[in-house]
Amino acid sequence: MLKIIQALNNNHTDQLITQVIKGIEEVKGEDIAILDLRKLDNTVSDYFIVCSGSSNTQVDAITNSIKKTASKALQDKPFSVEGAENSEWVIMDYINLVVHVFQKQIREYYAIEDLWGDAEITNISTNY
């Protein structure tokens, strides 16, 4: 039974990752990266998805697009959303998946990929 539950959770997480990336791409979010944290000790989540927007307006658009896409496809909403007030760094917590939407200069400053340097990182290429 535990294996079935884990398989369902992994399948849902995979679907959620797909929908989050789709939401980012719909509003031309940039520099999309998936950090797989499952093999690391003491992590808050299984995955991080990190992306960038060029302005407060685009960060808002990315955040809203992710919410809309995940909700429509999977009836899934984030457990919490932090940082939407200033839209420089928005964190969307979907429990097994945490999405970080940065303005470019804030992302460069915090270098979150470097903080989690032991994670397996997959960069998503876009055609826009």
Side-chain angles (χ1 to χ4, degrees):
M1 185 67 157
L2 181 60
K3 287 184 180 185
I4 293 170
I5 292 170
Q6 288 172 334
L8 289 173
N9 286 338
N10 286 341
N11 189 27
H12 179 76
T13 301
D14 291 345
Q15 291 174 6
L16 182 57
I17 289 169
T18 300
Q19 294 306 314
V20 166
I21 291 170
K22 181 179 176 184
I24 294 167
E25 290 177 332
E26 284 183 2
V27 289
K28 299 187 179 359
E30 299 176 347
D31 302 320
I32 305 167
I34 303 170
L35 284 70
D36 185 343
L37 308 172
R38 293 175 295 173
K39 294 181 183 174
L40 305 180
D41 292 332
N42 302 317
T43 60
V44 296
S45 170
D46 290 341
Y47 295 93
F48 283 174
I49 294 181
V50 183
C51 70
S52 300
S54 59
S55 66
N56 295 23
T57 304
Q58 189 179 23
V59 168
D60 282 341
I62 293 168
T63 303
N64 290 332
S65 181
I66 292 168
K67 284 183 197 175
K68 181 176 138 187
T69 304
S71 177
K72 185 175 180 181
L74 305 172
Q75 291 74 49
D76 204 343
K77 294 189 272 186
F79 177 71
S80 69
V81 177
E82 301 294 331
E85 304 80 33
N86 61 14
S87 298
E88 292 180 351
W89 178 3
V90 177
I91 300 171
M92 305 173 73
D93 184 356
Y94 284 94
I95 309 300
N96 290 338
L97 169 67
V98 176
V99 182
H100 299 265
V101 184
F102 287 96
Q103 284 190 36
K104 288 181 183 184
Q105 69 277 13
I106 303 298
R107 182 175 180 177
E108 290 170 6
Y109 178 79
Y110 285 103
I112 196 166
E113 290 95 336
D114 293 341
L115 293 174
W116 294 95
D118 291 340
E120 181 181 327
I121 299 175
T122 304
N123 294 304
I124 306 297
S125 31
T126 54
N127 296 324
Y128 43 82

